[in-house]
Amino acid sequence: MTDTAPTTALTTQVYRVWIKATPERIWAAITDPEWNKRYAYQAPSYFELTKGGSFHATATKEMKDYAAANGFELPETILDGEVLECEPPRRLVQTWRMLMDPRTAAEPFTTLTYEIEDAKMQAGVCKLTITHELAGAPETAAMVAGTEDEGAGGGWAWILSDLKTLLETGKNFAA
């Protein structure tokens, strides 16, 4: 028998993008709310960049308006977690939980790792790798995989593409 289950439930998802930017600029774009509110879902994310520090992202007005127009309530904090490792500007490991949907909020925390490396093939380019460990969190796995057809958005691939666009052009997809 052939298994035809969707791949969105994979317990480990890995995403990579090469960005023409320094490790410091990429790090800032990930960890500084003045940067991270400028791409992807534009929800500012706040980090206490020390082992045991907190992480959370807050809903934007547009997100709240969309939720209200579609008959559901959105919490103020839409993501939360804890910093497990912090090695600026190269590595960040954190727990991560999506609170904006009751199905994902009921799942356990997942583990998200950001790694920023100098690209070997070209000076001035860095490779950003995101590894998301999603054991026991199939709803979250589907969301971060980018199942647009199921209303989940573009997931990590879309977020990284918009981050790359912003850092290289100064404009995000919405501009």
Side-chain angles (χ1 to χ4, degrees), residues 2 4 14 25 30-31 37 80 92 99 110-111 121 128 157 159-160:
T2 303
T4 58
V14 179
R25 282 190 71 219
I30 294 166
T31 62
K37 71 179 183 182
D80 72 347
L92 176 63
L99 302 170
T110 60
T111 302
M121 61 190 146
L128 171 58
I159 291 167
L160 289 177

Side-chain angles (χ1 to χ4, degrees), residues 107-167:
E107 293 181 331
F109 282 93
T110 60
T111 302
L112 183 62
T113 301
Y114 296 89
E115 294 178 293
I116 303 167
E117 304 171 76
D118 294 313
K120 295 176 179 154
M121 61 190 146
Q122 185 173 345
V125 174
C126 287
K127 176 174 69 171
L128 171 58
T129 303
I130 289 182
T131 304
H132 203 156
E133 299 288 339
L134 295 145
E139 296 291 336
T140 302
M143 290 274 197
V144 301
T147 50
E148 285 183 280
D149 56 326
E150 297 173 23
W156 283 119
W158 188 75
I159 291 167
L160 289 177
S161 295
D162 202 19
L163 168 61
K164 174 183 173 63
T165 299
L166 176 64
L167 287 173

Side-chain angles (χ1 to χ4, degrees), residues 70-102:
N70 287 280
F72 64 95
E73 190 173 325
L74 193 65
E76 182 64 30
T77 298
I78 58 172
L79 297 168
D80 72 347
E82 177 184 339
V83 174
L84 302 175
E85 295 177 39
C86 185
E87 300 170 25
R90 299 292 183 171
R91 181 175 168 84
L92 176 63
V93 182
Q94 67 179 96
T95 61
W96 194 91
R97 177 177 58 173
M98 186 181 295
L99 302 170
M100 58 196 302
D101 180 296

Side-chain angles (χ1 to χ4, degrees), residues 24-38:
E24 292 79 12
R25 282 190 71 219
I26 296 168
W27 181 266
I30 294 166
T31 62
D32 182 341
E34 291 302 314
W35 266 102
N36 60 42
K37 71 179 183 182
R38 295 176 54 198

